[in-house]
Amino acid sequence: SDADVLKIHQTSLKLLSTVGMASATPQILEVALAQGCHLNADNRLCFPESLVEGIIASAAKKFVVHARNPQFDFEASGGRLNLCTGGAAVSIFDHHTRTYRPSLLNDLYDFARVADTLENIQWFARPIVATDIADPFTLDLNTIIACTAGTEKHIATSICNGSSAVQLGPILDTLAGGTGKFKQRPFCTVHATTVVSPLSFAADSLDVVCEAVKIGMPIHCQTGPQAGATAPAALAGTLVQCCAEGLASLCVINMLQPGHPVVIGNWAFVSDLRTGAFSGGGGEQALLGAASGQMSAFYGIPGGMGAGMTDSKLPDFQSGIEKGQTMLLASLSGGGFVFESAGMLASLLGCSLETMVADNEMLSTIRRIAKGIE
């Protein structure tokens, strides 16, 4: 209800102003303290409620998501449905042998090539990790190369640390056509897990964010509290924590560069309390994904949700119903970006080219439902 949305928001503000965030880096501390934040008795960075409300009001409410081919450009805005891949699976499902094997760089290239032809996928976030590359910078570089070699759509990837982000700047310019060209049409977004739940900043990702702002790279700031593990078992409590963590990330990015293009990645997850395992396909996950999207719509800022994260190891009936219910609720929530929307299996540990193609058909139906009756 509208009253409950407001209650979630107000409690998130209270968390940020009293409990605050741990582990802010020196660079973030310098900027935040100068703009009205303070350190509490536990040395946690606290954000005054008025400051957070002001940043929400002035943050970018819409922006163009650029592709290397302008025909794939689209607008990010609150309430506009955008369907994306995503994930960091370490295994590929082989439909011929019905077994899993480690995911490789060539597999990532193949996924990008397939996504390039699927009309319902607008944003290609790397769904797998190239497990055949160990060095962090080499992994970051080759991930971007494989994605851009395979698709002309907008791409997204994580970057291991700030040093890698600095080195990637000139390479992104080269791929965009020359010095300064990437900043004019930033075709790549960084997925930065800026928070380690509960309520603690991630130093490496904050360093990446600082460098991304300098080179004009859009940021999908992610937080992933897991109900019953790194967040309260009660879903409302997890949602409060998730919003607080997402707003903290939004604040520090806008302190660095007001109006920088940001997608709030409030990825609230669920634990099976019997085993402690991540449960990506259950009803609770569907509710949290939709609720996260509703909160992003309340803020009026493009928001990202995880859905399509089936727990099934196979593209079977279980996979279909779990993907369908989580994707549909997320898509109708008004939040904007729905990630993990195609290809994922085994609670995000596996991925499949054939499943991605099948999921594209599901996304066609979901987009039609979300469009409504005119």
Side-chain angles (χ1 to χ4, degrees), residues 6 25 65 145 148 243 256 297 319 329:
L6 193 59
T25 60
V65 178
I145 296 298
T148 54
C243 289
L256 291 166
S319 169
L329 264 69

Side-chain angles (χ1 to χ4, degrees), residues 93 100 310 312-315 319 343-350 352 355:
F93 179 66
Y100 281 87
T310 179
S312 177
K313 314 301 186 292
L314 302 170
S319 169
M344 305 310 291
L345 294 168
S347 304
L348 301 183
L349 291 175
S352 158
T355 300

Side-chain angles (χ1 to χ4, degrees), residues 24 49 51-52 112 147 159 165 168 181 191-192 233 260 336 353 364 366:
E49 293 186 16
L51 174 65
V52 179
C147 291
I159 298 175
L168 287 170
K181 294 291 186 180
H191 282 214
H260 190 81
L353 288 166
S364 178
I366 287 174

Side-chain angles (χ1 to χ4, degrees), residues 41-78:
D42 297 314
N43 206 37
R44 300 174 68 93
L45 184 64
C46 295
F47 298 77
E49 293 186 16
S50 59
L51 174 65
V52 179
E53 295 274 26
I55 288 176
I56 292 172
S58 62
K61 302 299 189 298
K62 62 181 180 179
F63 50 88
V64 175
V65 178
H66 296 282
R68 287 189 305 122
N69 185 337
Q71 81 175 69
F72 295 123
D73 290 359
F74 64 92
E75 182 182 271
S77 59

Side-chain angles (χ1 to χ4, degrees), residues 17-38:
S17 64
T18 56
V19 178
M21 299 291 294
S23 304
T25 60
Q27 185 173 0
I28 295 301
L29 277 176
E30 181 180 356
V31 173
L33 294 176
Q35 297 192 39
C37 295
H38 68 274

Side-chain angles (χ1 to χ4, degrees), residues 10-252:
Q10 291 171 340
T11 311
S12 299
L13 293 180
K14 185 177 180 181
L15 264 184
L16 288 176
S17 64
T18 56
V19 178
M21 299 291 294
S23 304
T25 60
Q27 185 173 0
I28 295 301
L29 277 176
E30 181 180 356
V31 173
L33 294 176
Q35 297 192 39
C37 295
H38 68 274
L39 292 173
N40 66 12
D42 297 314
N43 206 37
R44 300 174 68 93
L45 184 64
C46 295
F47 298 77
E49 293 186 16
S50 59
L51 174 65
V52 179
E53 295 274 26
I55 288 176
I56 292 172
S58 62
K61 302 299 189 298
K62 62 181 180 179
F63 50 88
V64 175
V65 178
H66 296 282
R68 287 189 305 122
N69 185 337
Q71 81 175 69
F72 295 123
D73 290 359
F74 64 92
E75 182 182 271
S77 59
R80 186 183 183 95
L81 175 61
N82 301 300
L83 299 171
C84 319
T85 58
V90 293
S91 300
I92 299 293
F93 179 66
D94 187 319
H95 282 260
H96 300 291
T97 63
R98 295 173 69 84
T99 59
Y100 281 87
R101 61 169 177 79
S103 53
L104 308 175
L105 184 65
N106 278 343
D107 295 317
L108 178 59
Y109 170 59
D110 286 341
F111 274 103
R113 289 198 296 149
V114 171
D116 194 60
T117 72
L118 300 180
E119 68 277 11
N120 295 304
I121 294 176
Q122 299 166 274
W123 161 317
F124 181 71
R126 62 103 173 89
I128 61 171
V129 175
T131 63
D132 48 339
I133 302 176
D135 176 70
F137 174 71
T138 306
L139 174 63
D140 291 338
L141 171 61
N142 280 277
T143 296
I144 290 174
I145 296 298
C147 291
T148 54
T151 181
E152 293 184 313
K153 294 180 179 180
H154 188 84
I155 66 168
T157 183
S158 61
I159 298 175
C160 292
N161 52 53
S163 174
S164 289
V166 172
Q167 296 178 75
L168 287 170
I171 295 166
L172 290 167
D173 266 347
T174 300
L175 291 169
T179 303
K181 294 291 186 180
F182 178 76
K183 200 165 192 176
Q184 295 173 15
R185 288 185 56 84
F187 62 84
C188 179
T189 290
V190 61
H191 282 214
T193 306
T194 43
V195 171
V196 177
S197 301
L199 298 170
S200 180
F201 282 122
D204 283 348
S205 283
L206 284 187
D207 290 342
V208 169
V209 161
C210 292
E211 297 303 325
V213 166
K214 293 176 185 176
I215 64 176
M217 179 182 281
I219 300 168
H220 176 212
C221 54
Q222 293 174 271
T223 174
Q226 196 163 324
T230 57
L235 300 188
T238 291
L239 189 60
V240 164
Q241 181 183 315
C242 196
C243 289
E245 293 171 344
L247 290 174
S249 300
L250 178 74
C251 285
V252 298

Side-chain angles (χ1 to χ4, degrees), residues 226 228 270-279:
Q226 196 163 324
V270 177
S271 291
D272 181 342
L273 295 183
R274 294 170 298 180
T275 64
F278 165 58
S279 177

